[in-house]
Amino acid sequence: MSHQPQRLLVTGAAGFIGSNFVHYWLKENPESRVIALDALTYAGNRANLDSVEAHPNFNFVHADILETDRIEQLLREERIDTLVHFAAESHVDRSIHGPDAFLKTNIEGTHSLLKAAKKVWLDDKKIPHRFHHVSTDEVYGTLEPEAPAFTEEHQYQPNSPYAASKAASDHIVRSYHHTYGLNTTISNCSNNYGPYHFPEKLIPLIIVNCLEGKPLPIYGDGKQIRDWLYVEDHCRGIDLILNKGRVGEVYNIGGNNEWANIDIVTLVCELMDQHHPEGAPHKSLITHVTDRLGHDRRYAIDATKISKELGYKPEETFETGIRKTVQWYIDHESWWCRVMGGSYRSLLKQNYNN
Ligand code: NAD
Ligand code: TYD
């Protein structure tokens, strides 16, 4: 069933992927209306949306996804036809130190949005609509080194409180489609990288620590594997799903780009040596630290479904994407200095005190 998104509500729009999505969407679809909603937690930064702030079809709403009545009112007043749901607590290490916020935002928050959407789009009057839920490959658990990559049929085996909360939210979204007929889609994507990535996650943390001459923490042996996708390619995948994806379906999105952590950190150090020679060789900053509890060994995505069905293909190569990303952090020191406030510093203390 094809859908033409014209009036979007984007939750978590001031975070990493949400803000990249808003930039991408208004560049590709300047005529459509975009309401960006965010609670502005430590991970949300209003300045991430500066470049679209003056756009005539853009508006920002400071709200929590748990405020069901407010969401309902927004859906109605703005005549929203498409909800793209990014808002979440998203950092595995934080979920290990304090799972409560993850269960609250990721599970209850998603349910709050579903209730509002059902009321406005189905109960009061049937209106053409789409609810897209942005999820992660981490719901599938971990893979052995030679095991085939995750397909959409892979069993859910979430291992961290973060992954478990995302898995639960995926199931609730699914149930709203099967039980009530809400037009939902879900995407499960691999690790993203690119501009506006909060420097608590591996790639931006390594770049910023290189720039500040600080140790580069590698958990355990550093041989854990992740699949990395440039953030704009994730946005492109969501765009295809919104327009052409079948309702009730799940689509995996990935980069076919598996890297061991230690190799990616070494590569970033080499790029830093070229782009920012002060402090070279940055490799000398690599420090092995205590492993993450329950650390998943390997994630890999099989993106055959979205590629065959919707013609998806990432456009950015890892070579060019990682270079652009390193340069972006070098050019945007004021951005990362601003976002690394108190909450960030207390995480560092709690997480890396070994
Ligand atoms: P992020 O932490 O950078 O941003 C999350 C945003 O949600 C922040 O702006 C925050 O203020 C907002 N938010 C948090 N709680 C809220 C609430 N209760 N109400 C309203 N807003 C709230 O996360 P991200 O990396 O941009 O991830 C976005 C989504 O994509 C998440 O759902 C995540 O699970 C998923 N995802 C992320 C990755 C990745 O590599 N980062 C990969 C796959 C899927
Ligand atoms: P992260 O960016 O937190 O994403 P996720 O855990 O969701 O995959 O971490 C990516 C990988 O890098 C993961 O295997 C944990 C590892 N890692 C480190 O080795 N050191 C660090 O300081 C961080 C933040 C992550």
Side-chain angles (χ1 to χ4, degrees), residues 91-93 138 191 200-202 205 217-219 224 226 261 292 295 299 352:
H91 187 34
V92 174
D93 293 318
E138 303 194 25
N191 286 55
E200 64 182 357
K201 308 280 173 64
L202 182 69
L205 178 94
I218 303 280
Y219 297 164
Q224 305 84 2
R226 299 289 182 267
N261 293 338
R292 174 186 276 174
H295 199 168
Y299 303 143
Y352 298 105

Side-chain angles (χ1 to χ4, degrees), residues 268-339:
V268 169
C269 287
E270 286 164 7
L271 291 174
M272 288 302 299
D273 291 348
Q274 294 167 24
H275 290 251
H276 189 265
E278 298 104 273
H282 292 90
K283 237 165 76 172
S284 63
L285 295 170
I286 290 177
T287 310
H288 285 264
V289 299
T290 310
D291 207 352
R292 174 186 276 174
L293 289 178
H295 199 168
D296 283 340
R297 202 67 188 162
R298 174 175 168 241
Y299 303 143
I301 279 277
D302 180 338
T304 307
K305 179 174 173 182
I306 189 168
S307 124
K308 283 213 165 127
E309 211 176 293
L310 308 182
Y312 175 73
K313 192 167 166 285
E315 285 184 6
E316 194 75 52
T317 64
F318 190 61
E319 252 258 293
T320 55
I322 193 73
R323 230 174 237 288
K324 276 207 270 198
T325 304
V326 164
Q327 193 58 50
W328 190 87
Y329 281 84
I330 293 172
D331 295 342
H332 291 79
E333 184 177 339
S334 60
W335 179 86
W336 52 262
C337 283
R338 192 162 24 154
V339 301

Side-chain angles (χ1 to χ4, degrees), residues 10-20 37-46 48 60-67 71 85-91 101 104-106 109-110 113 133-138 162 165-166 169 187-193 196-198 200-201 227-229 231 234 238 253:
V10 180
T11 72
F16 164 45
I17 310 176
S19 61
N20 276 285
L37 180 142
D38 203 291
L40 299 179
T41 68
Y42 79 94
N45 186 2
R46 183 82 194 257
N48 293 1
F60 180 80
V61 175
H62 185 192
D64 194 307
I65 55 170
L66 284 152
E67 298 171 68
I71 305 287
H85 175 33
F86 292 95
E89 289 293 337
S90 68
H91 187 34
K104 186 117 202 131
T105 294
N106 299 359
T110 301
L113 294 175
H133 177 57
V134 180
S135 192
T136 165
D137 58 359
E138 303 194 25
Y162 162 66
S165 67
K166 292 298 292 188
S169 65
S187 51
N188 294 88
C189 188
S190 57
N191 286 55
N192 288 209
Y193 69 98
Y196 303 105
H197 203 183
F198 195 81
E200 64 182 357
K201 308 280 173 64
D227 172 74
W228 292 95
L229 182 71
V231 62
H234 185 183
I238 294 172
I253 309 178

